[in-house]
Amino acid sequence: MKHVNTNFKLSGNDESDLVSFFSGKNNCLTEAPSGNGDFKTYSEEFHERDITSEGLEIGERTRLMLTHPNLDITNFQKSFIIMEVEFEVELEKPIDYEIDDKVGLNQIFVGFKNAVEIISESKYYCKGELINSYSQNEMTRESYYYNLTRPHEIKKGTFKSHSLWENVIQMSPNVCGCYIPIKSFKNNGTPKVKFELVIPFTDQMTLQNWRLYPNAIIGDIVEEIRTSLDGLVWCQIPPENVAKIKQINSYNVTHEYASGFLPFLPNYFTQIGQESRIVGEFKYVEDPDAVIDGLNVNHYSSTLDDKYVKYGLQDNRLFVKNRSAKIRVGRTHCVGFGVKIDVLQRISSALTSEVRIPCLEMKRVLFEHKPTPTGLNTSRIIPIKNITNILFMFPTHFGDFTVYKNIMYKNFQIFIDKKPLPYLAYRNTFDGRFMNLQLMSYELDNTTASPELIESLSVPLNDMSDEDHKRFLNSLYDNTNFGINYQFERGNIGTNFEGFSSNGKQVLIEFKGSPIADGDNDTYYYPHINYNGTTLTANNDHPMPEMWIFSYCYWSLTTDKIEYHQEIPDWYSSQASSYTSTTTTTYTHLDTLT
């Protein structure tokens, strides 16, 4: 999770090799041209299950080429997957009221936070043979948090790969989703949506350290995936934002662009299938005291013609219509180049000894106790091996995959084998100490974290100046990316493996904490409020808290095969425990071979 961030900062290697750090060695290369100016791209359609005119159903397995035989070296860092996804959506409650919205001020967004979240399971093949030991069926969750904790600059620099909240509320095309007019749901409408996903190869956590791959020597790689829409999110775009956009790009003098601020419209993502609040009625009236019956809230704002626009809000759920989801286009774009024969021979000679590329793998484990009104005191007994960090997640619905809010706890701490971590308990889940240590644990210190992550970790859900800590009715920004990360080793761009292990024994992992606010203001135990700010104490799922455990793994490359290893060699583990720096040269990045 952290290696790509340390690489982005050009930091970390010095910490793993202190001799080189102080010796001041010059690492500049002066070599004759290797022929890699022969830069090319090739596209290959998904296969195994071809995408016909009917499309490939979401949920079916398919295979995609990560390399192309016409390339000697494949550049994984620049290659990407393209998908065009199509499906129908429907609202749980019909829109039976008047929607006089010719301009289209009321828009719903539906899509992924990160395009890679469409992949739910993954396997790899090299030269037609399955690469043993790797099989991940939690790809949606794994990819969600891996990409969330990457620098903001990286996520802004790729197109249709990430749905940043700042882009969504401005209806930017640079999102992995689309915008749907609410009026299209009128009369039980089920609008068909279609959008494009761009998935860089290295947005997959297991491929994060892959750079240059000599497929001309080792053989071509194929990935087998299963897709899912469980990671979809949705929300209504603030109508005042849409009004400004429509006025600029498609102004029509005969149309009304009046729109007022709606204080009870959620300003954050909601998981697909979960309840959010949308505009259920929209019409222009002459009388500002006119009432809309049957809906939760009435709101109006003046127009240029002394008319008034009246809104009625309703709580609703958005679903994907059964068996409507298809992949219409699916292909990989492999980027790479050819090299001279003598360079390939030198690379082949280097691969006579094993080259190892580090990666991380996530395992999801549920705790044994649910939250209560007095707090959370939960535990789980498991063995741990080679872990770099444990991420504590707190879903409020059983269907949560990519939406998690701050639990607003105080005096919380974890214990591993009865040892407190950290030694001094956290005061709360949003203060300066908590925030700085969280950013450090993701290697985001001295970089720019995404605003969604900052908002989720640092902005309280309760009014801390109020004696009763009353809950806020809304957020300033999307705040659905909260987790508590505990780091066990300092990332060094993956040049060493020093994950924490319990040496094969079962250990007790505990989490203890209590809510900052009591009763109805406990936003974790009672996550839902209605349109007027009243806490809903019924219909709360209270699922178990979870541990997402990240462990060191590695790929090994030789001239004739690729292997995936979940176990770090015993000889290395014992040698690393002595804190010597000599072992750091054993594991070499493949991109240094060119």
Side-chain angles (χ1 to χ4, degrees), residues 92-122:
E92 180 182 46
K93 301 175 184 176
I95 302 293
D96 292 333
Y97 301 97
E98 184 177 355
I99 300 290
D100 183 21
D101 187 8
K102 296 178 181 177
V103 180
L105 299 183
N106 296 284
Q107 300 276 336
I108 285 178
F109 168 80
V110 60
F112 294 96
K113 288 184 175 181
N114 306 284
V116 67
E117 292 161 8
I118 193 174
I119 302 176
S120 60
E121 297 181 23
S122 174

Side-chain angles (χ1 to χ4, degrees), residues 466-480:
D466 180 76
E467 182 179 354
D468 296 326
H469 301 320
K470 290 183 179 178
R471 64 198 300 160
F472 290 130
L473 301 180
N474 215 331
S475 62
L476 301 176
Y477 215 75
D478 177 61
N479 60 354
T480 59

Side-chain angles (χ1 to χ4, degrees), residues 396-454:
T396 53
H397 307 92
F398 289 104
D400 286 346
F401 281 78
T402 62
V403 170
Y404 305 89
K405 286 193 175 184
N406 198 316
I407 59 174
M408 293 301 296
Y409 266 34
K410 64 182 179 181
N411 302 325
F412 70 93
Q413 200 168 26
I414 70 165
F415 298 82
I416 295 184
D417 209 12
K418 299 297 183 180
K419 297 178 182 178
L421 183 71
Y423 180 76
L424 175 65
Y426 281 111
R427 186 172 64 173
N428 56 51
T429 55
F430 52 82
D431 67 5
R433 176 186 173 224
F434 173 76
M435 187 67 192
N436 276 279
L437 290 178
Q438 287 300 292
L439 291 181
M440 189 184 301
S441 70
Y442 299 125
E443 301 289 355
L444 285 170
D445 47 322
N446 300 321
T447 68
T448 304
S450 66
E452 293 95 329
L453 182 59
I454 296 292

Side-chain angles (χ1 to χ4, degrees), residues 37-53:
D38 184 22
F39 188 78
K40 297 178 181 178
T41 64
Y42 289 93
S43 299
E44 283 290 337
E45 303 292 328
F46 290 180
H47 58 286
E48 188 71 10
R49 283 185 177 272
D50 294 331
I51 299 180
T52 64
S53 59

Side-chain angles (χ1 to χ4, degrees), residues 141-424:
R141 291 182 173 93
E142 181 182 83
S143 298
Y144 154 68
Y145 225 86
Y146 166 60
N147 285 281
L148 174 69
T149 55
R150 298 173 72 183
H152 191 215
E153 295 87 344
I154 291 179
K155 298 176 72 173
K156 290 179 68 174
T158 49
F159 197 76
K160 292 189 178 295
S161 298
H162 308 283
S163 297
L164 296 170
W165 182 257
E166 63 200 76
N167 289 340
V168 170
I169 61 174
Q170 296 302 324
M171 296 188 69
S172 167
N174 188 14
V175 294
C176 38
C178 64
Y179 308 96
I180 314 167
I182 287 182
K183 62 184 178 182
S184 62
F185 292 96
K186 184 74 174 172
N187 300 321
N188 293 318
T190 57
K192 181 177 291 186
V193 300
K194 186 176 183 178
F195 54 85
E196 185 181 32
L197 303 175
V198 176
I199 307 171
F201 286 0
T202 51
D203 275 9
Q204 300 182 65
M205 192 172 73
T206 190
L207 298 178
Q208 63 171 298
N209 277 319
W210 287 73
R211 298 295 180 261
L212 304 178
Y213 172 73
N215 51 291
I217 299 173
I218 303 176
D220 291 308
I221 300 179
V222 170
E223 183 177 12
E224 181 180 288
I225 64 171
R226 185 191 294 274
T227 52
S228 169
L229 299 183
D230 290 336
L232 284 174
V233 294
W234 72 289
C235 66
Q236 177 166 351
I237 310 299
E240 65 270 23
N241 288 22
V242 182
K244 294 177 183 178
I245 296 167
K246 296 287 186 179
Q247 277 183 297
I248 293 173
N249 63 18
S250 57
Y251 182 75
N252 187 323
V253 69
T254 65
H255 290 170
E256 296 279 359
Y257 293 91
S259 176
F261 169 66
L262 301 184
F264 301 107
L265 200 63
N267 204 36
Y268 49 80
F269 289 125
T270 300
Q271 199 80 70
I272 195 73
Q274 302 299 338
E275 189 173 84
S276 188
R277 192 165 295 121
I278 63 172
V279 170
E281 181 168 5
F282 177 97
K283 66 180 180 180
Y284 294 97
V285 297
E286 301 289 342
D287 180 8
D289 296 323
V291 176
I292 297 177
D293 296 325
L295 294 178
N296 294 331
V297 168
N298 302 316
H299 184 81
Y300 67 88
S301 62
S302 175
T303 74
L304 295 176
D305 298 325
D306 292 327
K307 291 182 180 179
Y308 297 88
V309 57
K310 300 289 291 189
Y311 293 90
L313 301 186
Q314 70 171 201
D315 293 325
N316 218 323
R317 299 174 190 268
L318 186 71
F319 295 94
V320 176
K321 188 175 179 181
N322 286 338
R323 302 194 66 80
S324 69
K326 307 278 188 181
I327 297 175
R328 292 297 185 184
V329 175
R331 63 175 65 98
T332 55
H333 294 269
C334 302
V335 178
F337 45 83
V339 295
K340 296 177 180 178
I341 295 297
D342 64 315
V343 176
L344 285 177
Q345 291 173 346
R346 288 164 54 197
I347 295 175
S348 181
S349 297
L351 288 172
T352 55
S353 60
E354 193 176 67
V355 173
R356 298 173 183 178
I357 302 177
C359 64
L360 293 174
E361 185 175 289
M362 190 199 87
K363 179 182 179 181
R364 176 170 167 254
V365 177
L366 274 61
F367 275 109
E368 295 179 341
H369 306 93
K370 297 181 178 181
T372 69
T374 60
L376 185 58
N377 187 345
T378 187
S379 61
R380 183 68 187 264
I381 299 176
I382 57 172
I384 52 180
K385 191 167 187 178
N386 301 325
I387 64 170
T388 65
N389 57 293
I390 298 179
L391 188 62
F392 291 82
M393 303 299 290
F394 306 91
T396 53
H397 307 92
F398 289 104
D400 286 346
F401 281 78
T402 62
V403 170
Y404 305 89
K405 286 193 175 184
N406 198 316
I407 59 174
M408 293 301 296
Y409 266 34
K410 64 182 179 181
N411 302 325
F412 70 93
Q413 200 168 26
I414 70 165
F415 298 82
I416 295 184
D417 209 12
K418 299 297 183 180
K419 297 178 182 178
L421 183 71
Y423 180 76
L424 175 65

